[in-house]
Amino acid sequence: MSYKLSAPSRRHTNSYKWDSAPSDDVIPLWVADMDFETYPAITEALQRRVAHGIFGYTRVPDAYYEAVCRWFASRHQWHFTPSDIIYTSGVVPAISAVIKALTLPGDQVIVQGPVYNCFYSSIRNNGCETVSNALIYNKEKLRYEIDFDDLDKKLSHERARILLLCNPHNPGGRVWTRSELTRVAELCCKHGVRVVSDEIHCELTLHDNKYTPFGSLPDELSHGSITCCSPSKAFNIAGLQIANIVCRDAQVRERIDRAININEVCDVNPFGVEALMAAYTDGGEEWLNGLRQYITANYEWLRQYMSEALPHLPVMRMEGTYLAWVDCSAIDETSEEIEERLMREHKVWVNAGSMYGREGEHFIRINMACPRERLVEGLKRIVEGLK
């Protein structure tokens, strides 16, 4: 069965992405949600749930845990058990709770900048110190690479407790290979630093790039790791607020569960539970594969168009996510100034790279998860503003 992606108007629906714009003539290519309707089986499951008419506190059923385990085992060859899962309301609350569970104020949490902006706030809010193992920008290959020598050094610090990994990487678009993840795991084991992996973009690989769950590495390297995942990005259901923490170490899992309760993010939305089960059990793979093909085609069009219209602003070679990362270092403006000017003068909204750490200062991020004609118009406006 094939599915046609549908993209109805989102204006005046209290959409954070669309209705935060200062005027209706702005094209939003910023925050990371898609303009496509979700997988139809999810909508049908939610309609059945709505028809019941009562929306009290939800008990998460066994079928939920079984769906998560089956999905990752069959699609990604990652095997874990229902008892390894802790559900919560989102990946960011999950990360925050894990940091609370495994650190003390003043401990160091290592990130690989530029990286998802909420990493920084989650670390700061728990009283920890952010340390960046900055990614190497390979300008010839137009991709990021891990600086393993620097990582080894940063992990050796006496206060280093967690490496907060982004796999696949947002905003850089890397889908880390098994060999890269293995090297990361070996260094973390060497120094006794625990890996916490944000894998929310795991389904959104482009071309034939293969996502490797960190938890699927050999047991001696991954047993103590924690993975935070959710169907929210892949199926465009972030507003339903559902995510999972996968941890096979029972003692660590108990500490995380306690932190989840301390942070009061232990109750979840009944619609999120229904949506996850529909996505993972009712044929969501075929819809998802079609979505990935569409986003891949959007990326290839964007890369070609930008290379012809703005050859001095290279686009990172994306392996995953739907977020293009554009090098604007040839422009004598900060990324915040570029974002503000494009919004004010050209009515297109992108993300300033500086929000992802100092390493992102000379970049902008563009959301490609929209109909091609919308992306075309948005890129025309960007080119007009940056040429």
Side-chain angles (χ1 to χ4, degrees), residues 150-205:
D150 181 69
L151 179 60
D152 192 13
K153 179 181 177 182
K154 299 287 172 59
L155 290 169
S156 69
H157 195 283
E158 61 181 6
R159 288 189 285 115
R161 295 292 179 269
I162 289 174
L163 170 65
L164 196 46
L165 183 70
C166 199
N167 173 41
H169 188 271
N170 170 25
R174 278 300 314 278
V175 177
W176 303 118
T177 64
R178 179 168 289 273
S179 63
E180 287 172 315
L181 294 174
T182 298
R183 182 66 178 136
V184 167
E186 290 169 344
L187 289 174
C188 287
C189 288
K190 170 185 171 183
H191 295 289
V193 174
R194 201 175 298 274
V195 174
V196 178
S197 188
D198 172 359
E199 304 193 354
I200 196 170
H201 291 276
C202 66
E203 306 299 344
L204 297 168
T205 54

Side-chain angles (χ1 to χ4, degrees), residues 101-119:
L102 301 179
T103 66
L104 294 173
D107 284 346
Q108 292 184 350
V109 178
I110 300 168
V111 300
Q112 295 175 311
V115 74
Y116 179 46
N117 52 297
C118 287
F119 281 15

